[in-house]
Amino acid sequence: RQIKEFWKLEDFKSTKYNFIVFHIVMLLIGYMYFQIYKNTEEGQKYAKKSLPVAIKKYVCKKEKKVIIYRGRYFAIFNFLEFIKLYSSCSEEIQSLLDPILALV
């Protein structure tokens, strides 16, 4: 319980030692990767910022993608391309896609 309070893990429900240790180790690995990222050319702008501050100020410049798969077939669409494709479908096809898209 003291570890949970110290790390402010309110949403972490497990009290099992292995899960708590795993969570803390993953936090430390994430922190280490953030430190490595700050040493890259792209990460230089976050050099003197903490991780919470960097997360708030980070703007993803990469294009969003949507992956649709069924069985062993799949397709990768740009987000805008997918929206246009979805809007061009008939209402019947949209109604078939809606339950799948609701899971996203």
Side-chain angles (χ1 to χ4, degrees), residues 64-68 75-80 82-83 101 104:
K64 307 273 189 283
K65 305 281 186 184
V66 177
I67 302 173
I68 304 294
I76 302 172
F77 299 98
N78 295 333
F79 185 74
L80 185 58
F82 175 75
I83 295 298
L101 297 174
V104 175

Side-chain angles (χ1 to χ4, degrees), residues 11-22:
D11 60 339
F12 191 71
K13 305 294 184 214
S14 179
T15 57
K16 294 184 179 180
Y17 177 77
N18 288 342
F19 290 126
I20 293 171
V21 169
F22 175 77

Side-chain angles (χ1 to χ4, degrees), residues 34 37-38 46 49-59:
F34 177 62
Y37 173 72
K38 290 193 312 185
Y46 301 109
K49 293 184 174 59
S50 67
L51 183 58
V53 171
I55 289 172
K56 288 179 185 176
K57 296 186 184 257
Y58 180 75
V59 177

Side-chain angles (χ1 to χ4, degrees), residues 68-86:
I68 304 294
Y69 64 93
R70 175 75 176 168
R72 41 183 214 154
Y73 301 101
F74 69 95
I76 302 172
F77 299 98
N78 295 333
F79 185 74
L80 185 58
E81 178 185 17
F82 175 75
I83 295 298
K84 288 178 181 178
L85 183 64
Y86 176 81

Side-chain angles (χ1 to χ4, degrees), residues 18-34:
N18 288 342
F19 290 126
I20 293 171
V21 169
F22 175 77
H23 187 75
I24 291 171
V25 167
M26 290 299 110
L27 284 171
L28 293 173
I29 289 172
Y31 178 77
M32 179 191 67
Y33 277 125
F34 177 62

